[in-house]
Amino acid sequence: MVAYEQMIEKVAGQIKTTVEALSAKADLLLAQEGAGWEAAGKNEEQRKVLALRVAARQISSEKAKLTRSGATLFEGMFVSVPREKDWAKMAYNKMKNTLSALDEAGRLALVEQGSVVLYENNHDGSFTRHTNPSLMAKQSFEEGMQSSDIDSLPPRHMALDANTSFSLVWDKNNMTFANGNANFKYGSNRPLEELDRTCLFMGRKEGTTGEPEIIEVRLSGEQAKIQFPTFVCGKIGLKPAAKVGLCYGSKATVFTADESVMDIFSAPPFALDDNGSPFGVVADWLGNNLKSSIEACGKAYAELDQKAKWNTVFGTIVEVVHIDPRENGGFIVTLGDTDIMSEAEVVSLYVPADQEGEVDFGVGSELLIVGSPWITREEELRFMVNSWWCANRIAPLADTDADGDGWD
């Protein structure tokens, strides 16, 4: 074991990373691939060395990608990772509802206006396409419609009914971008998927000495599918925007856990002092939006105006009431208010398979959850969890030996 620890130190020095970052990456690989390696006949020592070797190569590759992309390395932790939004899916579904309520004349009017392209099934292997001719020709927009037969439907379309499909027009207003280049969206069919995720990262540029700050991180496409771990310290490559406090994801946006980054924070994310008062970097960040219960979060949310409801986050302490393993790995953790008289519904926390190692607590533990309350059409309070932190751990029955690593 001593030899393995010496190997980690040597490899970390060679690839210019910290022992903590390399160990975290190797441990994750071992958890993900260890069973397969064991089935292939590799013993424990061979599995650990293989995980270390692959982890080192991945970190080196990520560093090279960061350099090529021109991204900047930041250190800190994610404090809010909401679910991704699919703007195209929402737009298509909204238009489908609109078209379903219109007669043929109303639908064709939207074609003339350049909002949609319609396709009618001729049931002979062909389709009749109704489109705006100016947009079809990539010319200045003018209202109008032309119909023509096509042999197949384009990839970007949604079925309206058994005989009709449609595509949204991506852009009918701007033939060029602000820099004068041709706008590829103009007159084109809008994609069926446009993923977007806006996260909050508390940290700073690597190598600087200022206090960690909240940075808005905007991710799109495949990157928006990544559910980054929250309240886990590490490093990530991002592209800073001209606007202070805003960064975008890039091809080098890979989060690498690194316990040494904890040192940039003056306190753990959240804790209670001897008087029961909250303190910590997240408690300071939330301020008055740190509430005593889910129910209290809901009441505060109800008092906000419509604009504020979109981006205001709240936090509260909840109790773990049940933990269910998911079929493909990970857990569903059921949470409830600590006040037995609370009328708030329980909250479901979905922990993905690659983060199941963070669930090292049992029923009765207390978690800080940060997220967004919302009200259903039936006027019932719900809470969408964007991040979580185990503030008071009770060891599960199978593991009563809690280690002492992590935040003090």
Side-chain angles (χ1 to χ4, degrees), residues 15 22 25-26 29 50-60:
I15 64 174
L22 181 57
K25 175 76 79 171
L29 280 166
L50 178 56
L52 178 61
R53 189 164 64 243
V54 175
R57 288 173 178 168
Q58 287 187 357
I59 291 175
S60 296

Side-chain angles (χ1 to χ4, degrees), residues 56-73:
R57 288 173 178 168
Q58 287 187 357
I59 291 175
S60 296
S61 175
E62 290 163 5
K63 283 191 170 186
K65 188 183 293 184
L66 179 70
T67 301
R68 291 194 300 268
S69 72
T72 300
L73 198 62

Side-chain angles (χ1 to χ4, degrees), residues 45-160:
E45 182 179 355
Q46 290 172 325
R47 295 196 298 272
K48 294 186 72 171
V49 172
L50 178 56
L52 178 61
R53 189 164 64 243
V54 175
R57 288 173 178 168
Q58 287 187 357
I59 291 175
S60 296
S61 175
E62 290 163 5
K63 283 191 170 186
K65 188 183 293 184
L66 179 70
T67 301
R68 291 194 300 268
S69 72
T72 300
L73 198 62
F74 285 78
E75 56 186 7
M77 61 184 176
F78 282 96
V79 295
S80 179
V81 181
R83 292 183 182 179
E84 73 273 18
K85 293 182 175 68
D86 189 339
W87 299 110
K89 182 178 179 180
M90 287 187 277
Y92 267 94
N93 286 335
K94 183 178 179 180
M95 180 57 74
K96 183 175 182 178
N97 291 334
T98 299
L99 293 171
S100 297
L102 294 175
D103 58 15
E104 182 179 4
R107 294 175 181 180
L108 294 179
L110 289 176
V111 173
E112 293 181 2
Q113 295 164 18
S115 298
V116 298
V117 179
L118 284 178
Y119 312 94
E120 292 184 67
N121 192 339
N122 297 323
H123 300 286
D124 61 0
S126 68
F127 301 83
T128 298
R129 177 179 60 195
H130 306 289
T131 187
N132 179 285
S134 62
L135 294 176
M136 191 74 177
K138 305 290 185 179
Q139 298 173 348
S140 296
F141 174 74
E142 294 182 4
E143 285 199 9
M145 187 187 73
Q146 71 176 21
S147 301
S148 59
D149 287 344
I150 56 176
D151 295 330
S152 61
L153 292 173
R156 298 175 179 179
H157 76 274
M158 175 177 278
L160 179 60

Side-chain angles (χ1 to χ4, degrees), residues 212-344:
E213 298 177 341
I214 292 295
I215 301 167
E216 185 177 304
V217 178
R218 295 182 184 173
L219 306 162
S220 59
E222 289 299 311
Q223 289 179 338
K225 296 179 180 180
I226 303 172
Q227 185 174 336
F228 293 106
T230 56
F231 302 117
V232 174
C233 289
K235 299 179 181 180
I236 188 169
L238 300 169
K239 282 195 171 181
K243 179 182 176 182
V244 176
L246 173 64
C247 288
Y248 292 94
S250 72
K251 293 181 179 180
T253 298
V254 177
F255 181 81
T256 302
D258 188 342
E259 289 186 358
S260 68
V261 176
M262 289 182 187
D263 295 339
I264 75 172
F265 296 101
S266 59
F270 181 89
L272 297 174
D273 61 23
D274 294 338
N275 297 320
S277 299
F279 72 94
V281 292
V282 175
D284 293 340
W285 164 53
L286 289 172
N288 292 333
N289 286 346
L290 179 60
K291 302 298 182 182
S292 59
S293 65
I294 298 172
E295 192 172 39
C297 290
K299 291 179 180 178
Y301 170 83
E303 295 174 356
L304 298 174
D305 59 40
Q306 290 301 316
K307 183 178 180 180
K309 286 179 178 179
W310 276 97
N311 53 22
T312 302
V313 295
F314 292 88
T316 189
I317 290 290
V318 292
E319 191 171 58
V320 177
V321 297
H322 196 68
I323 301 176
D324 275 320
R326 302 174 73 178
E327 184 175 344
N328 295 320
F331 297 95
I332 300 175
V333 184
T334 305
L335 308 168
D337 268 339
T338 55
D339 181 2
I340 196 172
M341 301 304 292
S342 172
E343 297 182 1

Side-chain angles (χ1 to χ4, degrees), residues 340-361:
I340 196 172
M341 301 304 292
S342 172
E343 297 182 1
E345 293 285 335
V346 295
V347 171
S348 293
L349 168 64
Y350 295 88
V351 181
D354 62 352
Q355 296 176 30
E356 63 181 15
E358 299 297 319
V359 183
D360 60 352
F361 49 81

